[in-house]
Amino acid sequence: MPLLSDIDEKALAARLPASNAVADNVPLVHVDRTVIDLIEHPPHEIPTSAMGSNSDNTRRAEGLLGLPQSAYFYAGRAHPKFGSTAFAFAAGCEDAHTGSASPFDTGGLLSNPPHLKLRLNPTDGEAERVAFGKASMLPLDQWRATFGRFLAAFFDADVDYWQKKPSRFDPERLFELNNDWRAWTFEIRFSEGHSIHDRAAWCADETVMSQLRRLDDQQPVTIPGDPLSVLDQFFAGPPALEPSGTPQFCERLEQWVREQIAV
């Protein structure tokens, strides 16, 4: 049963205005392990799974769900499993793209063995998981409205999306059976790459920041009037939230996200 299909609309009324405001403004977040390559080599963008460092598991899930090879983002959340640099992109960045969304991590749904636990009928087999994944997909231009309803229906406060499990269970018991927040975070997919220069904020670990400082020190002296190097173009954008880097780069970026939407 697709998410929210059994929700009493009257139960949403009190929380929906505030939740919609969060949903309309929440940035999209991508964590990457190849930031140096993204900076140094064209087209300087978050790549789709056709070119990026996404796992075979990602491409397998795309094939089963009939999805194009995509660039992946979470609504407001960053997971260190995917790399050492977290990028945030402002709400509305999806307007320039085609794609889709899901109210959970599709790779976890269809990994082998499955990373996410749930209960499906008649059995919890791959065919049932594929059908559930397809039934739960959202158009890219509609996911924010659904996200607002999700926040209002499943959390006592919008901030709980970042701090707790959903407060009510879904029919497939996805929230009850999992402790990993990827079971209830919204996954956003672009069918095209997205420029890293379009970032609103970013944060990385100490190793990445050390590599960037070393690359900067190795650059030739800039002659006035010469075009900016690719590294200088990157540095001309929003600075790192933690100039020295931090092992808590995901938490720091999520803090920034919550500051932007006042939760």
Side-chain angles (χ1 to χ4, degrees), residues 65-109:
L65 294 172
L67 293 168
Q69 293 179 316
S70 304
Y72 286 78
F73 305 82
Y74 284 145
R77 302 227 55 180
H79 202 296
K81 171 188 175 181
F82 300 110
S84 50
T85 306
F87 293 98
F89 300 91
C93 64
E94 65 265 37
D95 294 346
H97 291 278
T98 60
S100 59
S102 296
F104 46 75
D105 182 88
T106 53
L109 177 72

Side-chain angles (χ1 to χ4, degrees), residues 146-221:
T146 302
F147 184 52
R149 294 177 66 232
F150 169 70
L151 291 175
F154 285 92
F155 295 95
D156 297 325
D158 295 322
V159 70
D160 290 347
Y161 172 73
W162 285 268
Q163 296 179 337
K164 301 177 181 179
K165 280 189 173 189
S167 59
R168 75 184 299 272
F169 293 143
D170 61 301
E172 290 74 26
R173 300 174 64 192
L174 188 63
F175 308 148
E176 177 185 0
L177 296 172
N178 293 282
N179 292 316
D180 188 330
W181 55 253
R182 286 174 290 178
W184 56 85
T185 197
F186 272 49
E187 174 187 282
I188 317 302
R189 299 176 292 269
F190 295 171
S191 301
E192 310 84 19
H194 190 75
S195 174
I196 59 174
H197 298 305
D198 190 40
R199 69 193 185 278
W202 67 290
C203 196
D205 68 11
E206 300 101 319
T207 299
V208 168
M209 297 309 297
S210 176
Q211 290 173 325
L212 289 173
R213 286 192 297 271
R214 184 166 59 252
L215 288 173
D216 191 28
D217 291 341
Q218 293 171 352
Q219 287 195 106
V221 176

Side-chain angles (χ1 to χ4, degrees), residues 2-68:
L3 188 71
L4 293 170
S5 59
D6 67 334
I7 295 298
D8 180 358
E9 293 296 326
K10 292 181 180 179
L12 300 179
R15 293 216 341 97
L16 196 55
S19 296
N20 279 340
V22 170
D24 288 345
N25 294 286
V26 68
L28 298 189
V29 174
H30 173 88
V31 176
D32 204 283
R33 59 176 52 89
T34 62
V35 62
I36 303 299
D37 286 340
L38 299 185
I39 293 171
E40 291 191 316
H41 301 111
H44 313 297
E45 63 184 21
I46 306 299
T48 70
S49 57
M51 299 179 60
S53 59
N54 304 74
S55 68
D56 291 339
N57 179 62
T58 298
R59 287 179 278 270
R60 178 177 184 272
E62 289 171 341
L64 290 169
L65 294 172
L67 293 168

